[in-house]
Amino acid sequence: MATADANAVVPSSQPSNPKPRPIVRIGTFLISHSALFSLICCAAGILALFLLPVLAKNTYVSENALMPGSANPMFSNHDTMEANRLVKDIMDLKLSSGIAGIEISNLLGKYMTERDADVYHHNFHVQKNQFHLGNFFSDSSYSWHMKENRSCAQYGINTVAIIRAPRGDGKEAIVLVSPYNSTNIRQSDALSLGLSYSIFSLLSRVNWLAKDIIWLAADSQYGEYASVAAWLKDYHNPSFLDSDKSDDCTCPESNALLGRKDSQILQVVDGKEETKDTLSIYAEASNGQMPNLDLINIVNYLAVHRQGLHVKVAKLYSVLNAAWLRTVGQIFEFIGKTAKIVNPQWGFGISAADYVEGTATLASSIYYQALGIPTGSHGAFRDYQIDAITLEMSPRFSLYNEVRRSDFLLRGGRLLEGVIRSVNNLLEKFHQSFFLYLLSAPSKFVSVGIYMIAFMLLIIPLPMVAASLYSGPNKRESSARTNNENPDPAAAIVTSSGSKSWKWLHAAKVVFVVHLWAGLVSLIPYLVNQLPERTPTACMLVWVLLSFVSLIILYWIAGSPYSYKISHQSPNMEWAILKAVMISVASIGLGLMSIINYATAQIGAIFMVPMCLLVHPLKHAGNAGKLRVLSLTTSNMVLAVIGFPPAALLLVKGWLEGFDGVSLGDFWIWAETLWTWNSATYLYLVLIHLPCWVLCMHILLHP
């Protein structure tokens, strides 16, 4: 009995370790196999991008209140006669006076007054922005102001007419914009004004309007966007001139403006030779903003199913003619046919031609959203959270053919009437359909829930690899210290943790200094713009020189990234921790950019993720086999070239347009365009992509 009791109470010499939870074991497994995990995720992310045209859905009208095409059109041949009358008067005015200028504004005001509309003239002067710290983060991309020492000939004059809705409360409006160049008016401009006037004339007689109608005849001698943006700024922030100061200017009317919110539809006519009457839709606004998809849906539905127009959206023709893309399309077509044989209910199939067309359209949508520059004057409305699009109608005949022109005006007028009727039915702002989407055709789209999968697959490896790099050298160092220096495990853990913390702080300091330098680089163009008689190439060289000098000065103040004493027991730990911190910051930057502009983040991830994952010290690669040395060196050098923003731009431009016309100043011109339009892509390139590239170069040359 005593022996049994003695055996029963013998305590265990070591406490039992609790079994880790499944999620912890999965995380540990992924971190320990980060290389394989990264390869699978990156391949899946690229494949998901190529699958987007296949996964595109047909568009549909989400808001039931729109009811496109539910009413019979009222626009008739009488309205086309009104349009032709204005077109004739405008062209006669041009022939009689050579440069019409202010006479066109007066003529439009006369026609508008005949419809009992409230008419005024909006005078503005535009100056293109130079790089400045204050206005770079402002809402508008142009500055406009009134000065007493300017004559009316130096101003643009917008002519504005307002119809008060008989069933409205004056708080909402639909805006119809017709840009025209007052200094060189063309037949297409006159036709645009004539069509807009005919629909405006019709709306002045109807009794079903629930929203006011504003017709803005925008003087586009300074650009279509500038005239609309100037009017919108004064519309939302009215300014009234002093009567004493305004007496010096004999412009037709003053700047009397209203101050209420509105909804907008934008219409532009441009005469071209086409095989059929065509309607082109432009929707991209600044920084990847898009109008509510329902607005595009009702235009596409009415144009195709009611007026028989061929609807187009922009395509990248360099992608459209690529032979390799046609091969990819044939592969997906074969897979779709095979899947349909296995299960007829699977709707995976897509023809090779449709795949190529969808990819070219999708690439154009991503490109223009990533560029962050509006594709038309509708972008000025989107800056005020007003849904707007640009419509460009191209007839298949000459605009001077009066017989065919009347039929074209009839179809265009009925299209605009139908769109205005639908928007007039809304009781609230557009909200039912998507605001985040990519177009693969006028009637097909890819929603945010689909295209974000490709982006997430590309950036998911970054935190995994960062954790693997951070934990790998530390485990080896802890093991070395335990076996060689300190037999006490507790003391070994304390020593290793302290060393690890200091190394992490040094890597964080290096990353912080480089990002601080990037912030200075983003502001250098303000100094460069002060130089007299500057050329794009000279500006680019000065920008590069000042950036390099500022980096040297920061290193002299804060210390070189290679100044930390390297441990002989863990020579790989320093660059591995630096790479881990760099990858962590890059993943955060890409994630934040995806919230601001998905397209910019997606294109940036395609370049940044391989560069971050594959970068490796060239000196350390010499210890491996010859094949691994060759592959690592080649991949790192290629990524170092294409990962540098100026080099990437010049290579892409040379590939698309030929290398004969490529110069170093092209990147300065491109960057100047980005900051003129306050594009967030400029911030991404300088504050996220450039410091990541510099840190990769540090790791590549690490001793």
Side-chain angles (χ1 to χ4, degrees):
M1 179 67 71
T3 304
D5 291 340
N7 292 335
V9 297
V10 173
S12 175
S13 60
Q14 294 181 353
S16 60
N17 294 326
K19 189 176 181 180
R21 295 181 178 181
I23 188 65
V24 176
R25 283 183 286 171
I26 293 174
T28 304
F29 174 81
L30 293 177
I31 291 174
S32 60
H33 297 80
S34 59
L36 178 62
F37 178 74
S38 301
L39 179 62
I40 294 174
C41 285
C42 289
I46 298 299
L47 178 62
L49 276 177
F50 283 103
L51 279 173
L52 290 182
V54 181
L55 301 175
K57 298 179 180 179
N58 292 325
T59 58
Y60 55 92
V61 177
S62 299
E63 178 58 71
N64 294 328
L66 291 170
M67 298 184 294
S70 60
N72 293 324
M74 300 177 62
F75 195 89
S76 63
N77 289 324
H78 171 75
D79 298 298
T80 63
M81 293 173 61
E82 292 289 324
N84 282 318
R85 182 165 65 93
L86 178 57
V87 171
K88 183 178 183 301
D89 288 349
I90 291 174
M91 299 312 295
D92 290 345
L93 188 62
K94 178 184 178 182
L95 292 175
S96 62
S97 60
I99 300 177
I102 197 173
E103 287 80 4
I104 293 182
S105 180
N106 290 334
L107 178 64
L108 292 173
K110 176 185 175 183
Y111 269 78
M112 293 171 176
T113 305
E114 292 176 356
R115 298 303 164 191
D116 296 328
D118 297 336
V119 182
Y120 68 89
H121 298 273
H122 170 244
N123 312 319
F124 66 97
H125 177 74
V126 177
Q127 285 185 343
K128 194 175 181 181
N129 276 349
Q130 297 294 331
F131 185 91
H132 191 275
L133 306 184
N135 60 21
F136 181 78
F137 299 98
S138 64
D139 293 333
S140 56
S141 302
Y142 288 84
S143 60
W144 43 86
H145 46 271
M146 307 287 291
K147 290 187 177 179
E148 295 78 7
N149 59 351
R150 294 187 181 272
S151 67
C152 291
Q154 295 174 293
Y155 289 107
I157 304 176
N158 295 326
T159 309
V160 187
I162 304 173
I163 297 174
R164 305 298 179 181
R167 298 174 179 267
D169 55 4
K171 295 181 179 179
E172 294 179 301
I174 301 172
V175 183
L176 179 64
V177 181
S178 307
Y180 71 98
N181 189 343
S182 61
T183 60
N184 183 27
I185 193 162
R186 300 170 297 174
Q187 182 76 14
S188 59
D189 293 335
L191 190 59
S192 172
L193 292 170
L195 180 57
S196 299
Y197 169 70
S198 62
I199 191 67
F200 186 80
S201 175
L202 170 67
L203 295 174
S204 67
R205 305 190 303 267
V206 300
N207 59 3
W208 43 258
L209 277 179
K211 293 177 174 61
D212 293 349
I213 300 296
I214 302 177
W215 177 25
L216 171 63
D219 185 355
S220 61
Q221 60 176 303
Y222 297 105
E224 294 179 5
Y225 183 95
S227 57
V228 177
W231 177 77
L232 275 172
K233 179 178 182 294
D234 287 340
Y235 184 94
H236 289 86
N237 302 283
S239 60
F240 301 93
L241 296 179
D242 239 0
S243 58
D244 296 336
K245 295 180 179 180
S246 60
D247 289 341
D248 297 334
C249 185
T250 58
C251 295
E253 297 287 343
S254 66
N255 253 6
L257 292 174
L258 305 176
R260 52 173 196 198
K261 298 181 180 179
D262 64 337
S263 187
Q264 188 270 343
I265 298 176
L266 189 62
Q267 190 271 335
V268 175
V269 179
D270 191 11
K272 296 179 181 177
E273 292 295 335
E274 300 281 352
T275 57
K276 58 176 68 175
D277 292 342
T278 303
L279 176 70
S280 299
I281 300 177
Y282 300 93
E284 291 83 6
S286 58
N287 291 321
Q289 296 182 90
M290 298 288 285
N292 190 274
L293 187 58
D294 268 346
L295 183 57
I296 299 177
N297 294 341
I298 59 175
V299 171
N300 180 70
Y301 176 83
L302 292 171
V304 174
H305 299 286
R306 289 294 185 267
Q307 305 306 324
L309 298 174
H310 174 62
V311 180
K312 295 194 308 183
V313 289
K315 298 182 179 67
L316 282 186
Y317 289 96
S318 57
V319 176
L320 189 64
N321 301 323
W324 64 268
L325 185 61
R326 195 173 300 109
T327 303
V328 174
Q330 292 171 353
I331 294 174
F332 282 126
E333 182 179 9
F334 173 76
I335 295 175
K337 290 180 178 178
T338 305
K340 197 170 184 179
I341 293 174
V342 175
N343 189 342
Q345 295 181 352
W346 289 349
F348 184 74
I350 184 174
S351 66
D354 289 342
Y355 179 83
V356 173
E357 287 275 341
T359 304
T361 305
L362 200 68
S364 174
S365 185
I366 293 176
Y367 169 75
Y368 285 112
Q369 289 189 33
L371 199 60
I373 299 176
T375 53
S377 52
H378 60 273
F381 285 90
R382 195 61 200 148
D383 291 339
Y384 293 89
Q385 302 304 306
I386 301 170
D387 295 296
I389 56 175
T390 294
L391 305 181
E392 182 181 277
M393 300 181 66
S394 303
R396 64 181 184 275
F397 54 85
S398 171
L399 293 180
Y400 294 94
N401 187 333
E402 294 187 6
V403 177
R404 302 293 299 276
R405 189 171 68 194
S406 296
D407 177 67
F408 177 74
L409 288 171
L410 182 64
R411 298 165 72 186
R414 288 180 173 177
L415 170 63
L416 289 177
E417 179 195 350
V419 175
I420 292 174
R421 271 184 175 269
S422 293
V423 178
N424 183 73
N425 291 336
L426 286 177
L427 300 177
E428 48 193 339
K429 290 184 66 174
F430 282 103
H431 67 281
Q432 287 282 359
S433 192
F434 295 90
F435 285 95
L436 302 174
Y437 57 91
L438 300 172
L439 291 175
S440 61
S443 59
K444 285 185 175 292
F445 76 104
V446 181
S447 67
V448 59
I450 301 298
Y451 64 65
M452 281 300 292
I453 295 175
F455 176 74
M456 294 304 298
L457 286 171
L458 281 175
I459 68 169
I460 277 178
L462 294 181
M464 291 296 176
V465 172
S468 177
L469 287 168
Y470 186 66
S471 61
N474 294 326
K475 289 180 179 179
R476 290 192 292 269
E477 184 185 24
S478 177
S479 177
R481 290 181 182 274
T482 302
N483 296 332
N484 299 329
E485 293 182 1
N486 197 340
D488 184 2
I493 292 174
V494 171
T495 306
S496 176
S497 300
S499 174
K500 179 173 62 175
S501 299
W502 284 111
K503 289 180 173 64
W504 181 88
L505 288 175
H506 174 71
K509 187 194 79 170
V510 172
V511 173
F512 172 76
V513 169
V514 172
H515 279 80
L516 178 63
W517 166 79
L520 296 176
V521 170
S522 68
L523 304 179
I524 288 177
Y526 174 70
L527 300 176
V528 177
N529 273 327
Q530 311 305 317
L531 298 176
E533 298 180 1
R534 58 188 184 273
T535 62
T537 302
C539 289
M540 186 63 196
L541 291 175
V542 173
W543 194 9
V544 172
L545 178 61
L546 291 179
S547 300
F548 181 75
V549 171
S550 61
L551 183 62
I552 297 300
I553 293 174
L554 276 178
Y555 280 166
W556 178 69
I557 296 174
S560 168
Y562 306 136
S563 61
Y564 191 79
K565 185 177 180 181
I566 299 176
S567 172
H568 295 289
Q569 296 176 352
S570 56
N572 301 332
M573 186 175 181
E574 284 73 19
W575 73 263
I577 293 181
L578 178 60
K579 181 177 177 179
V581 177
M582 175 202 71
I583 288 177
S584 301
V585 174
S587 63
I588 294 173
L590 286 172
L592 291 175
M593 193 64 215
S594 68
I595 300 174
I596 301 172
N597 190 339
Y598 154 78
T600 300
Q602 179 66 76
I603 296 176
I606 294 175
F607 287 93
M608 275 183 61
V609 171
M611 182 172 62
C612 290
L613 295 180
L614 294 179
V615 66
H616 198 84
L618 295 177
K619 187 175 181 180
H620 182 264
N623 301 329
K626 293 183 178 180
L627 182 61
R628 188 168 185 267
V629 170
L630 179 62
S631 61
L632 276 175
T633 304
T634 304
S635 61
N636 277 282
M637 296 307 294
V638 170
L639 291 172
V641 173
I642 66 175
F644 187 49
L649 175 69
L650 297 180
L651 288 174
V652 171
K653 185 175 181 180
W655 175 55
L656 296 177
E657 304 175 6
F659 289 93
D660 296 336
V662 174
S663 67
L664 187 61
D666 291 338
F667 185 80
W668 175 267
I669 297 173
W670 186 58
E672 190 175 32
T673 303
L674 293 180
W675 70 60
T676 297
W677 289 95
N678 296 347
S679 173
T681 302
Y682 175 78
L683 298 179
Y684 163 78
L685 286 174
V686 182
L687 300 182
I688 299 176
H689 194 104
L690 181 62
C692 180
W693 179 83
V694 171
L695 290 168
C696 285
M697 296 304 100
H698 284 336
I699 296 171
L700 202 64
L701 303 176
H702 200 281

